[in-house]
Amino acid sequence: MTVVQEKGSERRVVANVLRGSVGNLIEWYDWYAYTAFSIYFAAAFFPKGDQTAQLLNTAAVFAVGFLMRPLGGWLLGRYADRRGRRAALTLSVTLMAFGSLIIALTPSYASIGVAAPVLLVLARLLQGLSVGGEYATSATYLSEVASPARRGFYSSFQYVTLTAGQLIALGVQIVLQQFLSKSEMSEWGWRIAFVIGATGAIVVMWLRRGMDESANFEKQAAGREKGTFKALLKHPKECLLVVGLTLGGTVAFYTYTTYLQKFMVNTSGIDAATVSWINFAALLVFVVLQPLAGALSDRIGRRPLLLGFGVLGTLATVPLLTALARTSEAAPAFLLMLGGLVIVTGYTSINAIVKAELFPTNIRALGVGLPYALTVAIFGGTAEYVALWFKQAGMESVFFYYVAGCVLISLLVYGFMRETSKDSVLDRD
């Protein structure tokens, strides 16, 4: 291949990765916008009364969406393995667009009664299906279109855009708060965030229609079973590996990214506004770390990063969270949160490519998506609930050991698994 051809090929890879990644960003922006703006729209969808009850109702709807993720991983993973990655990614972002549009346009409970929360649940079901399928399909697509020597680097953009979506949702909230009063935010301002999300999803839907289909999918042998449980059951070890790989990582990720914001307010006693800025700054650094760690894995392998996360996560989680519980200053809190995120980077930056390297093309999206989504729903989705349960029981520090124990289980998996970058099924298909 000539230098010109190599450059053209690499530009094609970058273009496809960007289309896939931008869609992932919009999907996660829409997902996190619900959490960020629920305090404003809770009263619009549920009967007047106690604000806490309204927030609990929105939290329950959020949980319903979370539980839909395994179903999305199954349905869209199966669709991606049968109809193609491009088709599944386009469908995924279409579902998200509809979900956000429904939330943005649904009249209040005062106008249409019980139909308002029913439509909110419907919207969240669509978003849960979308996010569940997005992870598996985008992980598969990014791994298949990436240059073999840079798979770690390119696949790391999944968590770059995932976290960036969270940051943009937070940024939109901060901007709107500067220009609108609290009453305006509650009456109509929150709808702007979902209009932005729906519009972005529609744009991405158009962009994804122009993506190249992955060569792995196009050249797979005819007659192979695609996206079926029967085919998936031929890979029980790989499915269990995905569960083991994900368990510690998802608990640590949701602890350090989602729960810490509440932890610093409720336990450390730091002002909520200050905590928002600590969270924003730490996550911004976290975004930058992902491609650096992904590129490092292309040089030294995936297992060293996973082992680093496993060892440090097991040994440092309890001291980090204990120290954070005892500080009320912004600078130390930022450094402690960042320390946790640096450790988690050993998992987040490469978890997508490691899982994709385990499965053959005909079952890759379903194999990555279903066991991952189930593990996240059971362990990642409950991390905050478990933390608050221990706190309410007066045993908050037990949660620190719970997180460390989950990471330890994954560490044992990392210790016995093969180096996937040197023995990748992607290279055999």
Side-chain angles (χ1 to χ4, degrees):
M1 185 181 288
T2 67
V3 174
V4 173
Q5 288 175 320
E6 286 180 356
K7 287 182 177 179
S9 176
E10 194 66 21
R11 279 197 296 268
R12 200 70 199 164
V13 169
V14 171
N16 287 319
V17 168
L18 283 175
R19 288 188 180 108
S21 298
V22 170
N24 197 48
L25 183 150
I26 291 296
E27 292 250 1
W28 286 100
Y29 164 83
D30 285 326
W31 183 256
Y32 284 116
Y34 182 97
T35 304
F37 288 89
S38 62
I39 192 170
Y40 295 112
F41 67 70
F45 287 98
F46 297 98
K48 289 184 178 180
D50 181 60
Q51 185 185 35
T52 301
Q54 292 173 336
L55 290 173
L56 281 172
N57 284 326
T58 60
V61 176
F62 178 81
V64 168
F66 218 105
L67 292 174
M68 289 298 290
R69 289 174 62 175
L71 184 58
W74 172 56
L75 289 175
L76 288 176
R78 181 183 172 92
Y79 186 72
D81 286 329
R82 289 188 163 200
R83 302 297 181 185
R85 319 315 189 195
R86 180 177 59 195
L89 286 170
T90 303
L91 176 58
S92 171
V93 78
T94 303
L95 290 172
M96 185 59 76
F98 275 116
S100 293
L101 203 57
I102 289 171
I103 296 175
L105 300 180
T106 296
S108 67
Y109 184 91
S111 299
I112 62 172
V114 72
V118 168
L119 286 170
L120 180 64
V121 170
L122 173 62
R124 204 58 187 168
L125 291 175
L126 290 174
Q127 290 187 326
L129 282 171
S130 173
V131 167
E134 175 71 20
Y135 175 88
T137 311
S138 63
T140 298
Y141 184 75
L142 291 178
S143 68
E144 290 178 347
V145 301
S147 311
R150 305 188 72 187
R151 284 176 182 148
F153 172 74
Y154 283 124
S155 66
S156 72
F157 281 89
Q158 185 168 50
Y159 264 82
V160 169
T161 50
L162 186 156
T163 309
Q166 185 176 358
L167 285 171
I168 293 173
L170 182 59
V172 168
Q173 183 183 45
I174 291 171
V175 170
L176 289 176
Q177 286 171 337
Q178 306 308 308
F179 292 97
L180 301 176
S181 66
K182 187 174 181 179
S183 63
E184 288 173 328
M185 286 288 289
S186 298
E187 288 171 12
W188 55 269
W190 59 268
R191 296 183 186 273
I192 296 173
F194 292 98
V195 170
I196 291 171
T199 304
I202 291 169
V203 171
V204 169
M205 180 175 63
W206 177 77
L207 287 174
R208 282 185 165 178
R209 288 168 62 88
M211 292 192 312
D212 294 329
E213 183 55 85
S214 81
N216 293 68
F217 178 82
E218 289 186 327
K219 72 179 184 182
Q220 63 182 315
R224 297 177 76 183
E225 290 181 301
K226 300 177 183 179
T228 65
F229 269 119
K230 183 178 178 181
L232 184 62
L233 289 174
K234 294 177 182 177
H235 304 276
K237 180 181 177 182
E238 287 78 6
C239 290
L240 289 174
L241 264 176
V242 172
V243 173
L245 283 163
T246 305
L247 173 58
T250 190
V251 171
F253 174 75
Y254 279 101
T255 296
Y256 283 115
T257 59
T258 303
Y259 178 61
L260 274 203
Q261 192 165 9
K262 296 179 179 67
F263 181 81
M264 284 188 276
V265 173
N266 296 331
T267 300
S268 305
I270 303 173
D271 174 73
T274 303
V275 168
S276 293
W277 284 108
I278 291 172
N279 197 50
F280 189 91
L283 288 174
L284 193 60
V285 177
F286 181 63
V287 166
V288 175
L289 291 175
Q290 302 310 299
L292 298 178
L296 180 63
S297 80
D298 288 326
R299 290 178 173 271
I300 67 173
R302 323 295 186 212
R303 283 184 74 241
L305 269 71
L306 291 171
L307 288 169
F309 158 67
V311 171
L312 292 173
T314 301
L315 298 178
T317 294
V318 175
L320 274 174
L321 293 177
T322 301
L324 186 56
R326 295 173 179 171
T327 186
S328 58
E329 299 295 324
F334 166 75
L335 292 174
L336 288 167
M337 180 179 181
L338 183 59
L341 291 174
V342 170
I343 293 171
V344 175
T345 295
Y347 162 78
T348 56
S349 60
I350 59 170
N351 84 95
I353 185 61
V354 170
K355 293 161 191 170
E357 287 174 330
L358 294 172
F359 294 94
T361 301
N362 67 310
I363 201 68
R364 184 168 293 129
L366 182 59
V368 170
L370 184 57
Y372 167 82
L374 285 168
T375 309
V376 171
I378 295 169
F379 293 99
T382 60
E384 185 173 316
Y385 178 85
V386 172
L388 293 171
W389 186 89
F390 278 122
K391 182 175 178 62
Q392 189 176 46
M395 303 183 295
E396 186 170 35
S397 61
V398 176
F399 175 69
F400 308 165
Y401 289 93
Y402 168 77
V403 177
C406 290
V407 177
L408 176 59
I409 293 171
S410 286
L411 174 59
L412 296 176
V413 175
Y414 306 149
F416 290 100
M417 67 179 288
R418 72 177 192 267
E419 173 53 64
T420 59
S421 65
K422 291 184 172 59
D423 184 24
S424 174
V425 180
L426 283 162
D427 295 323
R428 298 181 218 155
D429 284 356

